[in-house]
Amino acid sequence: MSDVLEQLRQRLETQLEFIYRDIATVSDYPGIAEALISAMGLNEKAYEMSEPVAYQNHWSQQDVVLITYGDSLEKRRSRSSQQACLSGEQEYGFSDMDGDVGLAEKPLKTLKRFLDERCKEVINSVHILPFYPYSSDDGFAVINYSAVNESLGGWPDINAIAEDYRLMADLVINHCSSRSIWFDNFIKGEGPGHDFFFTADPEADTSKVVRPRTSPLLKEVETANGTQHVWCTFSHDQVDFDFTNPKVLIEFVWIIRLYLDNGVRLFRMDAVAFLWKILGTSCLNLEETHEVVRLLRSLIEHAQPDAVIITETNIPNRENLAYFGNANEAHCVYNFSLPPLLVNTLVTGSCHYLKQWMMSMPPAQHGTAYFNFIASHDGIGLRPAEGLLEDQELNTLISTMQSFGGRVSMRALDDGQNKPYEINISLFDALQGTTKGPDRWALDRFICAHAIMLALEGIPGVYIHSLLGTRNDYDKLKHTNHNRSINRHRWDVEALEESLDDPLNDHHKVFHRIKALLKIRTRQQAFHPNATQFTLHLGDQLFGFWRQSMDRRQSIFCIYNISDEPQPLALSEVNLIGLDRWHELISGEEITDLAQEMMLAPYQALWITNMLDS
């Protein structure tokens, strides 16, 4: 037996003893550890393994993640082709080869081609949101973790994307679909998965439980073993797993192994903060949850040293940061406070709160990084702004977003009241104006937001609908009656490409301006996710920070006018070193007079550096 494998086994046993210390029925820690090692396939490669290198960065300034659904882009048949397929099926009995007469090919193939033809020079990673068979929540109620949704494609399509891009996939670890075979077996009281789900007495005190929804927590289910009340953190179609049963943990390690074998290298642990439940507590961020993440990290990094765990925890900032652990838990955490703070900054014209937050954020240790995003398939979370924005500021933000066509989703409090949980709106519409109303600066404001996000310490994640400048989808919202649908548009790829090729079209302008920023970003060592960052103090209308490369050779001063009025910038206040030659990266202009006062147009961004194309 290799020394590395034996050390891992001992570590797993220690972690398991901590996780299950209060579970009387669990005591076979060596047996569970061996089952986990077997599920990850580590026995077969025991003598190839080496101890993972601590504090190692698995990323660089070249890493940019595109976030997309597998079917955000669709190649649709012409109306005549659709009619021909329908006629053929009716007359001759054959079915459409793609399973949908409206599509000319599987969406994962469409996505791959779009990435290759339009994005490859600036995007090296792609997060495909849940691509498994599902029953609701656009993929997050998983029916089968081991399959690819046939309407999207198959494992070969996933493999093809993973060959050319670093692939990020969701590990939907807190819950699964009520239509899964596991839940069917729970109802039958026998078979695989029959004991995978968390139940509770409806008379138990659950008043402290923190949830992101307003639906009842428990779902009454008739089973072969009588009436059961199943825990449902999110919806009654999303039933929570019971991780006090070690078989659930072992099953998820099998799933992780399958994903690794199919090219997944970035694991987004969906809703992981809710994983462990103890009655009488908040059932959020419990220490057992953190230990499970550490245990999965131990297994993953031994199996695939360059794999990365990213925790998705839409919670207040301090609790979110705890998932870094001591650089031994998540490699990356979603920077959930950034979207509400940045949108608030740009619609109010003041960076006061954003700057306060920036100064309070600890630099990520080597081996960890922030995952920065300003738009996603979900909404603009409001819990991460708790303690960072005052109530009046939040109320103004919400009312402004509603005036721009946004919706507000609620969560239940322990006193029976409901409270705003997230704002649902496309980012382009969210930034169409200020608290004063829509204005003519929408495009520049939108690009400014991305120029800020792309320069910040961390790895940037760009939502496909931000890259394309997609607007609110009211038709989909009306069809689903689900607030999040407003920002989950499905593009006809041919119509999209016509827009992207038209220089007068806003989609073209957004796409090419963001790509131009990405091309610059990926060449700058000072934009490494772990490069030094300091906040500049330039007043409330100019937001700025300084980045310095880890070898200290390159500096970039990132300065933004976040208001709808021109703002003066005295370069003497920025403290540019006179011995260096300074250039502004976005315009490409050289700065020769370090004593000059520049006038920044509304929402203008400056990236001032002492080195070009480092």
Side-chain angles (χ1 to χ4, degrees):
M1 182 185 303
S2 76
D3 291 341
V4 174
L5 186 58
E6 179 56 28
Q7 290 171 10
L8 173 61
R9 181 175 281 105
Q10 292 175 8
R11 185 181 312 155
L12 293 174
E13 289 181 22
T14 300
Q15 292 173 315
L16 290 165
E17 188 171 0
F18 178 85
I19 294 168
Y20 297 110
R21 65 194 184 280
D22 295 327
I23 312 297
T25 56
V26 179
S27 58
D28 183 19
Y29 306 125
I32 301 170
E34 184 56 41
L36 293 170
I37 288 170
S38 177
M40 191 59 84
L42 295 179
N43 284 315
E44 294 82 355
K45 56 186 299 183
Y47 292 97
E48 301 172 19
M49 286 194 303
S50 57
E51 188 67 24
V53 179
Y55 306 107
Q56 184 176 25
N57 297 324
H58 299 297
W59 43 78
S60 74
Q61 65 273 15
Q62 296 178 343
D63 287 296
V64 178
V65 181
L66 182 72
I67 305 166
T68 179
Y69 279 101
D71 59 358
S72 290
L73 307 177
E74 298 177 335
K75 185 176 182 180
R76 299 171 187 165
R77 296 188 190 277
S78 65
R79 189 176 298 274
S80 59
S81 296
Q82 291 184 44
Q83 194 60 47
C85 287
L86 286 169
S87 298
E89 185 170 349
Q90 292 164 359
E91 184 172 353
Y92 300 106
F94 64 76
S95 61
D96 176 57
M97 61 179 294
D98 289 322
D100 185 338
V101 296
L103 298 184
E105 67 180 356
K106 295 294 188 182
L108 286 173
K109 294 185 187 298
T110 306
L111 174 62
K112 176 65 162 60
R113 189 174 60 257
F114 183 84
L115 289 168
D116 291 346
E117 295 176 357
R118 299 274 184 169
C119 303
K120 197 164 190 176
E121 59 188 326
V122 294
I123 299 291
N124 71 349
S125 306
V126 58
H127 173 200
I128 306 177
L129 288 152
F131 47 78
Y132 329 110
Y134 71 95
S135 56
S136 64
D137 199 15
D138 283 348
F140 287 94
V142 179
I143 292 175
N144 183 353
Y145 287 83
S146 301
V148 175
N149 189 335
E150 289 184 4
S151 68
L152 299 178
W155 282 118
D157 298 305
I158 294 294
N159 301 155
I161 293 173
E163 285 178 6
D164 293 328
Y165 302 89
R166 203 169 185 199
L167 179 61
M168 179 169 165
D170 290 275
L171 190 68
V172 185
I173 196 169
N174 179 71
H175 52 262
C176 73
S177 169
S178 64
R179 288 174 51 193
S180 66
I181 186 67
W182 291 338
F183 198 68
D184 284 346
N185 289 341
F186 169 80
I187 293 172
K188 295 174 186 175
E190 60 182 12
H194 76 276
D195 52 356
F196 277 15
F197 299 97
F198 195 87
T199 61
D201 185 333
E203 300 303 317
D205 181 10
T206 57
S207 62
K208 293 183 180 179
V209 175
V210 174
R211 297 178 61 228
R213 299 291 186 270
T214 57
S215 56
L217 174 63
L218 300 180
K219 172 184 180 178
E220 183 177 305
V221 180
E222 297 302 323
T223 76
N225 296 317
T227 302
Q228 301 281 336
H229 293 84
V230 184
W231 195 281
C232 300
T233 298
F234 291 89
S235 78
H236 282 191
D237 186 42
Q238 294 164 292
V239 285
D240 284 34
F241 291 113
D242 181 3
F243 272 85
T244 65
N245 178 356
K247 287 190 287 186
V248 178
L249 179 61
I250 295 167
E251 186 66 34
F252 268 94
V253 174
W254 283 108
I255 293 166
I256 291 169
R257 179 71 261 175
L258 173 67
Y259 294 175
L260 285 170
D261 290 342
N262 280 283
V264 174
R265 292 297 177 265
L266 307 176
F267 290 88
R268 177 186 182 271
M269 290 193 173
D270 175 67
V272 69
F274 302 94
L275 181 141
W276 198 271
K277 288 89 174 168
I278 298 177
L279 292 175
T281 74
S282 67
C283 299
L284 182 71
N285 306 319
L286 300 188
E287 28 181 44
E288 290 86 353
T289 294
H290 284 277
E291 196 65 43
V292 168
V293 176
R294 286 192 283 269
L295 181 146
L296 293 175
R297 161 109 178 227
S298 297
L299 287 163
I300 289 172
E301 64 186 4
H302 279 81
Q304 187 69 44
D306 63 343
V308 169
I309 291 174
I310 304 178
T311 49
E312 186 267 338
T313 49
N314 192 354
I315 51 180
N317 194 53
R318 184 180 296 274
E319 299 169 38
N320 187 33
L321 297 180
Y323 282 86
F324 278 138
N326 184 23
N328 63 347
E329 203 164 323
H331 295 88
C332 304
V333 300
Y334 269 73
N335 211 348
F336 272 106
S337 295
L338 179 59
L341 289 174
L342 183 53
V343 171
N344 179 75
T345 292
L346 291 166
V347 300
T348 63
S350 170
C351 64
H352 173 75
Y353 294 101
L354 180 63
K355 191 162 56 175
Q356 278 191 330
W357 168 74
M358 280 267 293
M359 290 187 293
S360 72
M361 289 290 280
Q365 297 184 64
H366 284 294
T368 68
Y370 294 108
F371 186 76
N372 293 327
F373 72 106
I374 50 177
S376 75
H377 63 290
D378 290 338
I380 300 170
L382 297 176
R383 289 216 69 204
E386 291 178 9
L388 302 175
L389 289 178
E390 297 174 4
D391 288 346
Q392 182 55 49
E393 201 80 12
L394 278 170
N395 291 336
T396 299
L397 176 62
I398 291 169
S399 62
T400 302
M401 294 300 99
Q402 288 176 315
S403 74
F404 293 163
R407 302 293 189 270
V408 178
S409 295
M410 311 296 283
R411 68 183 180 95
L413 302 179
D414 56 12
D415 61 1
Q417 299 295 310
N418 292 337
K419 184 175 182 179
Y421 174 69
E422 69 179 14
I423 300 166
N424 306 110
I425 191 170
S426 79
L427 186 64
F428 196 90
D429 279 295
L431 297 176
Q432 65 182 270
T434 68
T435 54
K436 295 176 286 189
D439 60 25
R440 63 191 181 96
W441 300 108
L443 179 60
D444 293 314
R445 188 181 293 110
F446 183 77
I447 298 302
C448 179
H450 286 85
I452 292 173
M453 187 264 283
L454 293 175
L456 285 170
E457 174 191 352
I459 302 167
V462 180
Y463 188 37
I464 191 168
H465 291 305
S466 293
L467 182 65
L468 303 175
T470 309
R471 306 294 297 268
N472 288 338
D473 189 336
Y474 296 112
D475 288 339
K476 189 170 186 179
L477 175 65
K478 182 179 179 180
H479 176 71
T480 65
N481 199 31
H482 181 28
N483 284 349
R484 287 178 168 178
S485 294
I486 200 171
N487 195 24
R488 297 179 179 180
H489 182 68
R490 289 179 182 171
W491 273 100
D492 174 354
V493 73
E494 291 186 355
L496 170 64
E497 289 179 336
E498 286 183 13
S499 296
L500 296 182
D501 291 335
D502 177 4
L504 299 180
N505 192 290
D506 278 348
H507 300 298
H508 171 97
K509 295 173 185 177
V510 167
F511 186 68
H512 288 278
R513 287 183 68 177
I514 292 179
K515 280 184 65 176
L517 292 175
L518 289 170
K519 286 179 184 178
I520 298 169
R521 175 205 155 77
T522 55
R523 298 196 300 262
Q524 314 307 320
Q525 291 183 17
F527 284 155
H528 186 285
N530 296 91
T532 299
Q533 176 174 289
F534 283 112
T535 306
L536 302 178
H537 297 277
L538 303 170
D540 284 346
Q541 281 67 55
L542 291 178
F543 176 60
F545 50 93
W546 172 65
R547 303 294 309 278
Q548 184 184 56
S549 60
M550 288 182 285
D551 63 7
R552 299 187 180 182
R553 294 178 62 230
Q554 185 185 28
S555 289
I556 303 179
F557 289 88
C558 308
I559 301 170
Y560 311 86
N561 179 1
I562 49 81
S563 77
D564 58 1
E565 297 288 341
Q567 297 294 331
L569 169 67
L571 288 180
S572 58
E573 294 182 15
V574 181
N575 196 27
L576 305 179
I577 298 173
L579 296 178
D580 288 336
R581 292 182 61 186
W582 295 92
H583 294 79
E584 202 287 299
L585 289 168
I586 299 174
S587 67
E589 296 179 0
E590 183 175 2
I591 297 175
T592 55
D593 182 5
L594 302 186
Q596 70 176 299
E597 181 177 90
M598 301 178 68
M599 187 63 69
L600 273 65
Y603 308 106
Q604 183 178 351
L606 302 177
W607 289 349
I608 301 173
T609 185
N610 61 337
M611 294 180 66
L612 286 176
D613 294 345
S614 63

